[in-house]
Amino acid sequence: MKALVFDAFGDPKTVIACKEQPSPPLDADQVRLKVLASPVNPADLNLVEGTYGVKPPLPAVPGIEGCGEVIESRSPAFETGDRVMLLHRSGMWAEEVVVSASSLFKLPPQIDPLQAAMLKVNPATALRMLTGFRTLPKGSWVVQNASNSGVGRSVIQVAKALGLRTINLVRRESLFEELKQIGADHVLLDDASAVDLAREIGGDSAPALALNAVGGDSALRLMNILGSGGVHVTYGAMGRRPLKVPNGLLIFKDLEIRGFWLTRWIDKAPREELDNAYAFLAQEVAAGRLEVPVDSTHELGDFLAAFDRLGSADRKGKVLFAPGI
């Protein structure tokens, strides 16, 4: 089988190679998957660069998430033809993977494999942040930045399914209508005007939850929009700027500053909690209520073009490897 392999940490364009790899035999309770699709996430590139939260032993195959079809099983829980997603990193930038049955979640058979391939990270991050830090009554406001990102779009759609309302900050007015079409209640420019406009929208019901993927001044704006006792959750650092937390916001607004890393949640959460979360998300995807835009799909050998597409100014969604579609 073919796989994208790196033997040293560094620039993905230079350290990754498409290689023929042996397909290992199955042990008890293992499953062999044909990889249908796997997205190229920032975390995958960070893993290759050696800047992610963990470093795999080398050589390694990237691919934090993906969708596969069972082609051989030594587990009674899975049969040939089952569609599945992986709960743990298993090197999905390959034509096949062999994994423990306990690391798989069975998907509805009618689900779009491209959308299923992106189910593990962005939608689950959105759902967990919306439900794991505060119990928000229906109609509550949530404010976020980077609202046109994969997680940001998932937040909009999952919040709508949960009966929550969103105030969404972005850097370009051209995104306003696009995000409103997927359920955003309000979209604002992420500049100095956002704080007053968001406060006017929230009125006496200021947001109790802010989701930050940028840092710097953008993160500070979210803190100023939050109501007293609100929680500010950071899950990314796109702006490559640290958080600035004025003393007054901690003292007089009693804000709670938290972080979120999906990998830690998956590793520590009870299996029932994971199953319930992904069952809800899979149902939303299968029903067409939760969708992440796809820019392009690529064969494994076309990885340089896939990486180039990531940096394209006209990119309109996620870039995926789709060796099995």
Side-chain angles (χ1 to χ4, degrees):
M1 65 157 186
K2 291 180 181 177
L4 297 183
V5 183
F6 64 103
D7 300 292
F9 297 108
D11 181 352
K13 289 185 178 181
T14 60
V15 300
I16 284 180
C18 186
K19 298 182 178 181
E20 290 286 344
Q21 298 279 94
S23 187
L26 292 188
D27 290 332
D29 207 39
Q30 285 190 323
V31 175
R32 190 186 313 279
L33 304 178
K34 176 176 72 172
V35 176
L36 298 178
S38 178
V40 182
N41 287 318
D44 293 306
L45 303 182
N46 294 156
L47 188 79
V48 177
E49 293 162 349
T51 59
Y52 192 57
V54 295
K55 286 187 177 181
L58 300 178
V61 177
I64 286 174
E65 65 175 336
C67 172
E69 182 177 303
V70 175
I71 56 176
E72 186 180 357
S73 175
R74 292 193 62 188
S75 165
F78 296 96
E79 299 178 351
T80 301
D82 284 345
R83 293 276 176 97
V84 297
M85 57 160 278
L86 286 88
L87 296 174
H88 303 283
R89 185 177 67 82
S90 300
M92 292 292 282
W93 292 2
E95 291 180 326
E96 293 181 9
V97 293
V98 171
V99 296
S100 168
S102 63
S103 69
L104 297 177
F105 176 81
K106 190 179 296 187
L107 294 163
Q110 73 273 22
I111 198 168
D112 177 358
L114 294 180
Q115 293 298 318
M118 300 181 286
L119 189 62
K120 173 190 168 185
V121 175
N122 290 345
T125 296
L127 177 61
R128 183 59 187 166
M129 291 194 300
L130 288 168
T131 59
F133 294 90
R134 287 288 188 274
T135 300
L136 300 175
K138 289 185 183 299
S140 297
W141 288 105
V142 175
V143 62
Q144 66 165 338
N145 56 22
S147 304
N148 62 308
S149 67
V151 172
R153 291 170 184 270
S154 295
V155 166
I156 291 169
Q157 295 170 87
V158 173
K160 184 68 66 176
L162 297 175
L164 305 175
R165 298 182 290 177
T166 57
I167 300 171
N168 303 276
L169 308 189
V170 294
R171 292 183 296 174
R172 304 189 306 276
E173 283 190 25
S174 59
L175 293 165
F176 284 17
E177 188 56 36
E178 182 181 338
L179 295 184
K180 288 179 179 177
Q181 287 180 0
I182 65 170
D185 293 285
H186 292 276
V187 187
L188 307 174
L189 281 178
D190 193 354
D191 60 21
S193 68
V195 174
D196 287 339
L197 291 172
R199 285 174 173 171
E200 184 177 333
I201 291 166
D204 294 334
S205 302
L209 176 64
L211 307 178
N212 166 52
V214 180
D217 290 339
S218 178
L220 180 57
R221 282 191 275 275
L222 295 184
M223 294 179 208
N224 281 305
I225 292 169
L226 275 172
S228 294
V231 59
H232 182 284
V233 181
T234 293
Y235 67 95
M238 294 179 184
R240 299 184 183 275
R241 294 290 185 272
L243 296 185
K244 305 174 184 178
V245 187
N247 295 333
L249 291 181
L250 292 178
I251 297 169
F252 302 114
K253 288 185 74 172
D254 191 26
L255 296 186
E256 183 180 346
I257 308 298
R258 298 286 301 274
F260 179 74
W261 185 27
L262 182 75
T263 298
R264 181 179 293 114
W265 173 65
I266 289 176
D267 287 343
K268 293 188 174 182
R271 181 58 194 249
E272 183 180 5
E273 183 177 311
L274 296 177
D275 286 345
N276 288 340
Y278 283 109
F280 167 78
L281 293 170
Q283 176 183 323
E284 293 297 299
V285 169
R289 294 187 293 265
L290 176 58
E291 182 175 349
V292 177
V294 173
D295 175 84
S296 56
T297 60
H298 301 263
E299 296 295 327
L300 294 175
D302 197 26
F303 66 91
L304 289 177
F307 295 158
D308 285 340
R309 194 65 209 140
L310 285 174
S312 299
D314 63 341
R315 180 166 64 89
K316 298 291 185 182
K318 299 287 284 188
V319 175
L320 297 97
F321 293 113
I325 297 179

